[in-house]
Amino acid sequence: MTSQAPNSQERVYSVYVGPFDPCPPVPCKTYVVPPHLFLGFQPPNLPQFNLTEALRIGTLWPALYSTYTPHIRGGN
Amino acid sequence: MWVYEKKLQYPVRVCKCDVRMAKYLIEQYGGADGELAAALRYMNQRYTIPGKVIGVLNDISTEELAHLEMIATMVYKLTKDATVQQLEEAGLGAHYVNHDSALYYENAGGVPWTAAYIQAKGDPIADLYEDIAAEEKARATYQWLINMTDDVDLQDSLKFLREREIVHSQRFREAVEILKEDREYKRVF
């Protein structure tokens, strides 16, 4: 198991590549670990986005903000 | 009771005529981890959960209905002007035969929604853990949906919905923490 920088919202793991795999192997796969998994009970007085920004992205708190970039196995 | 506000929670814009996406988006409309399942699950579980966390289930289930409306809008926009041939090419031929362009509570594979998708165990921890799992599954579904389209406007709305799943998951996790705490017991000492 390999992992990226601890603050990254993505984790990488390597996958066994068999000698007779029918399709081109994808040696590394990723999954998302959004920030709420590490927050615990939300502490008071966290920094906030401004209201326009918060309404656009769906959360008031940067601590809960998770970006998602389209990611397709085998390339976009 | 509820008060209805005649606008969407977040604007839904679809800039690409891609009927295929309508078939996939239906997963979040009438699928096992979709918005309807989420709304009905929480709205039902709230009766038999400790008072301290009823509000969380009530508020989140209400918001899920707002999300349901957004998904419905996306699907409607993508299918309202589609020809029968376009529907058929998008894999919606069977849907057309049964429903024309009407929306229906079914998953991306055309399987109708069923109450068997949701549980109410009556155990607060079991129910909240199911709710957390439901939010993570919905988040994942939104990720795969975002991957399936290059329509940036549609992606934008889907990213908003994905972020809301994260916030909901956080609130359910906090609800578990509230129920784990035994404040009244501590007061005895």
Side-chain angles (χ1 to χ4, degrees):
Chain A
M1 181 103 176
T2 52
S3 61
Q4 295 186 334
N7 59 349
S8 163
Q9 293 190 15
E10 193 171 76
R11 296 289 180 270
V12 185
Y13 64 104
S14 50
V15 182
Y16 171 75
V17 176
F20 306 114
D21 288 350
C23 303
V26 180
C28 287
K29 298 198 177 184
T30 63
Y31 56 96
V32 177
V33 283
H36 69 288
L37 299 182
F38 309 96
L39 187 61
F41 207 105
Q42 184 175 330
N45 305 318
L46 285 181
Q48 299 182 356
F49 288 117
N50 69 52
L51 280 183
T52 328
E53 187 77 346
L55 284 170
R56 191 180 65 76
I57 62 180
T59 180
L60 189 53
W61 299 278
L64 279 174
Y65 180 45
S66 169
T67 49
Y68 183 74
T69 315
H71 182 97
I72 297 177
R73 235 190 337 263
N76 285 320
Chain B
M1 71 169 275
W2 278 264
V3 178
Y4 184 76
E5 205 168 329
K6 198 171 177 177
K7 62 182 181 186
L8 292 177
Q9 187 191 7
Y10 187 88
V12 166
R13 276 214 193 94
V14 186
C15 68
K16 188 180 171 191
C17 177
D18 182 7
V19 185
R20 187 191 53 105
M21 267 318 279
K23 181 175 166 66
Y24 300 145
L25 286 163
I26 279 285
E27 183 67 33
Q28 277 303 82
Y29 193 64
D33 310 312
E35 303 292 353
L36 179 74
L40 297 185
R41 179 189 292 114
Y42 311 148
M43 214 171 277
N44 181 61
Q45 288 177 353
R46 68 186 170 148
Y47 290 96
T48 48
I49 204 115
K52 280 187 264 186
V53 300
I54 289 174
V56 176
L57 271 79
N58 192 55
D59 291 354
I60 294 180
S61 66
T62 301
E63 189 181 339
E64 304 293 5
L65 289 176
H67 295 172
L68 188 70
E69 221 180 13
M70 287 176 61
I71 299 291
T73 305
M74 294 173 194
V75 173
Y76 174 70
K77 283 183 183 229
L78 285 165
T79 52
K80 74 185 178 78
D81 300 314
T83 64
V84 176
Q85 193 189 342
Q86 281 174 321
L87 289 171
E88 205 172 7
E89 283 166 2
L92 287 169
H95 179 96
Y96 170 76
V97 167
N98 201 0
H99 308 288
D100 192 351
S101 286
L103 277 73
Y104 192 65
Y105 294 116
E106 62 191 358
N107 72 8
V111 180
W113 189 87
T114 164
Y117 287 155
I118 64 180
Q119 178 59 287
K121 193 51 78 176
D123 178 275
I125 301 300
D127 283 347
L128 284 170
Y129 272 46
E130 177 188 339
D131 302 344
I132 293 166
E135 295 295 336
E136 301 299 345
K137 287 188 279 181
R139 170 183 60 77
T141 307
Y142 279 122
Q143 290 169 193
W144 314 153
L145 282 170
I146 292 166
N147 290 348
M148 291 298 275
T149 180
D150 56 4
D151 180 337
V152 287
D153 287 333
L154 187 58
Q155 280 183 347
D156 183 60
S157 303
L158 293 172
K159 282 177 183 175
F160 172 86
L161 290 168
R162 176 181 174 274
E163 178 62 38
R164 296 309 299 159
E165 307 295 345
I166 289 169
V167 176
H168 291 171
S169 175
Q170 168 69 17
R171 298 299 168 241
F172 284 135
R173 285 162 198 266
E174 287 168 354
V176 171
E177 294 308 311
I178 289 171
L179 295 189
K180 276 159 69 182
E181 267 183 16
D182 198 348
R183 291 194 177 121
E184 284 163 37
Y185 179 76
K186 276 175 192 161
R187 231 174 270 149
V188 175
F189 294 95

